[in-house]
Amino acid sequence: MGYIRALTVASLVLCTRALAQRTPPPFLAAYTQGRAYILLTEMPGGTAGFNIYCKRGKKFERLNGEPIRPVKDPLVFREVLGEDYRWVARAVKAKNPLQTLRRIEGDPGTGFAMSLASLRVAAASGRLFVDTTAVEGKTWYRVAYLDYRGREFASREVKVKLEEARPGPPEDLKLEAGDGKVKVSWDYPPYTGRPEDIAVGFNIYRRKEGEDKFVRINPLIVLRQEGKLYRFDRKVENGTTYTYYVTAVDFVGRESRPSEREVARPKDLTPPLIPEGIRAISEEGRITIVWRMNLELDLSHYDIYRSTSPTGSFSKINPEPIPGDRPSFVDLSLIHI
């Protein structure tokens, strides 16, 4: 089963709110390799499971044998999540399978958001059905919601277009190079509310100058949040050129074509810290100035300035740069007043 990962519960919930503002359909539908993945976006109050129907000719035929229900046993829940369990537990701040299960099933927004991020969570949460009899083209599906007695108490019908298509690529990629960071931003069409609008997030790829291959820099997917389509890449070196592109990802893990490529070169804009612990030791014919060593890796050197009065003009007195690992200077050019 394919899967994708999410960043944080906070950002996941933002994603579900964005969908809610546009009245999403009862489910999302993605078609690939002869299968239609049906992911429920809404679960009316009192829902304990669902049946799924597909229109064959003039009649709807039920596709599932047993009702699709969420997993209630914490250990089985963990087993279904498989390798996704660890990051899911961290995302919901749970310490064990029971807490993980309770926090996902206890908050519908979190449950749906985590289902967008992982098909394993969707299956364990009772939100996913895979139609292995699907064919490309337009078809009608009906979702029938079950109460705790197993009775259908509500249903929704939607006409969907099943096609072997990946999401469209992001557009208008922009880079802003800073000090030790690059801001990567892009545009993507607003959510349409159609079942086939299944792009849920993005991946960012980077290539360092002198390297041949692009590498994905986001360990977890960047979710599709309108107004928040950007990320900061802080694992860069000043003075080095980087090339970036971004792809869109759907909820079954398929990526779009890459966006256009852009280039950025971060640079050092931050001055070193002010020297601290300065002391002047007066001796005959000389003054020795000492200070605490600055441990910043980008420190170049020190310069010493002197004036005959606190409010006078200062002039540099060291003829050569003072190395960063030698926090002292002996002034022999004293002015006797």
Side-chain angles (χ1 to χ4, degrees):
M1 180 182 293
Y3 68 95
I4 50 180
R5 295 183 175 179
L7 190 59
T8 62
V9 171
S11 62
L12 288 168
V13 173
L14 285 173
C15 180
T16 61
R17 288 175 180 169
L19 294 177
Q21 291 172 357
R22 286 166 179 74
T23 312
F27 56 83
L28 301 178
Y31 176 83
T32 180
Q33 298 179 350
R35 297 183 173 208
Y37 292 79
I38 308 298
L39 175 66
L40 267 59
T41 62
E42 63 176 29
M43 301 279 278
T47 298
F50 72 95
N51 290 324
I52 185 80
Y53 297 81
C54 183
K55 198 169 189 178
R56 311 292 192 192
K58 296 183 178 181
K59 295 183 179 181
F60 279 94
E61 296 181 5
R62 180 169 159 176
L63 300 178
N64 58 298
E66 294 296 320
I68 296 118
R69 301 181 185 274
V71 175
K72 294 298 183 180
D73 186 310
L75 296 182
V76 176
F77 187 84
R78 177 172 183 169
E79 182 178 348
V80 174
L81 262 57
E83 63 186 48
D84 284 5
Y85 171 75
R86 289 188 177 181
W87 69 262
V88 170
R90 287 197 301 268
V92 298
K93 299 180 180 179
K95 297 180 179 179
N96 53 57
L98 178 60
Q99 284 187 352
T100 305
L101 172 60
R102 293 291 181 262
R103 291 177 184 179
I104 289 178
E105 71 175 1
D107 184 340
T110 297
F112 170 53
M114 299 298 281
S115 296
L116 280 179
S118 165
L119 291 184
R120 292 188 174 101
V121 174
S125 300
R127 289 179 176 269
L128 179 69
F129 177 77
V130 181
D131 180 7
T132 58
T133 66
V135 294
E136 287 193 76
K138 295 181 179 179
T139 190
W140 283 86
Y141 281 105
R142 175 195 293 163
V143 174
Y145 304 99
L146 305 176
D147 61 20
Y148 290 98
R149 296 182 180 180
R151 298 179 300 188
E152 297 182 357
F153 68 91
S155 65
R156 291 280 303 276
E157 297 176 5
V158 177
K159 187 177 184 180
V160 299
K161 183 180 181 181
L162 300 178
E163 58 181 347
E164 189 77 59
R166 296 175 182 268
E171 301 175 345
D172 196 21
L173 178 64
K174 295 180 180 178
L175 306 178
E176 296 180 30
D179 189 348
K181 63 183 178 182
V182 175
K183 181 181 179 181
V184 185
S185 60
W186 59 92
D187 289 337
Y188 204 75
Y191 178 68
T192 64
R194 298 194 301 268
E196 57 269 23
D197 188 354
I198 55 177
V200 297
F202 307 91
N203 286 326
I204 304 170
Y205 292 86
R206 179 190 70 200
R207 183 179 65 193
K208 184 178 179 180
E209 63 176 302
E211 295 179 346
D212 296 328
K213 297 182 179 180
F214 282 86
V215 295
R216 175 177 161 178
I217 64 172
N218 54 301
L220 306 176
I221 191 171
V222 179
L223 283 177
R224 181 181 178 182
Q225 304 172 52
E226 292 175 30
K228 294 182 178 292
L229 300 183
Y230 65 88
R231 281 297 182 273
F232 285 95
D233 181 10
R234 302 183 188 277
K235 295 183 178 181
V236 293
E237 301 172 358
N238 287 329
T240 300
T241 301
Y242 297 90
T243 305
Y244 293 83
Y245 70 78
V246 180
T247 63
V249 186
D250 67 21
F251 76 86
V252 293
R254 297 177 299 182
E255 288 188 275
S256 71
R257 292 182 292 104
S259 68
E260 293 184 355
R261 298 178 182 182
E262 295 292 340
V263 175
R265 186 181 181 89
K267 55 184 178 180
D268 188 356
L269 301 173
T270 304
L273 295 174
I274 298 173
E276 298 178 336
I278 301 174
R279 291 187 299 127
I281 304 171
S282 178
E283 302 173 278
E284 184 176 353
R286 68 168 60 187
I287 294 179
T288 302
I289 304 169
V290 297
W291 58 92
R292 284 201 291 269
M293 183 183 296
N294 188 315
L295 299 179
E296 293 175 277
L297 297 178
D298 61 348
L299 176 68
S300 172
H301 64 276
Y302 298 100
D303 286 327
I304 302 290
Y305 292 80
R306 184 184 65 193
S307 174
T308 57
S309 69
T311 58
S313 59
F314 286 79
S315 300
K316 190 174 75 168
I317 60 174
N318 56 298
E320 299 292 337
I322 302 170
D325 60 351
R326 299 178 187 176
S328 65
F329 178 76
V330 179
D331 183 8
L332 298 174
S333 59
L334 301 180
I335 301 175
H336 298 279
I337 301 176

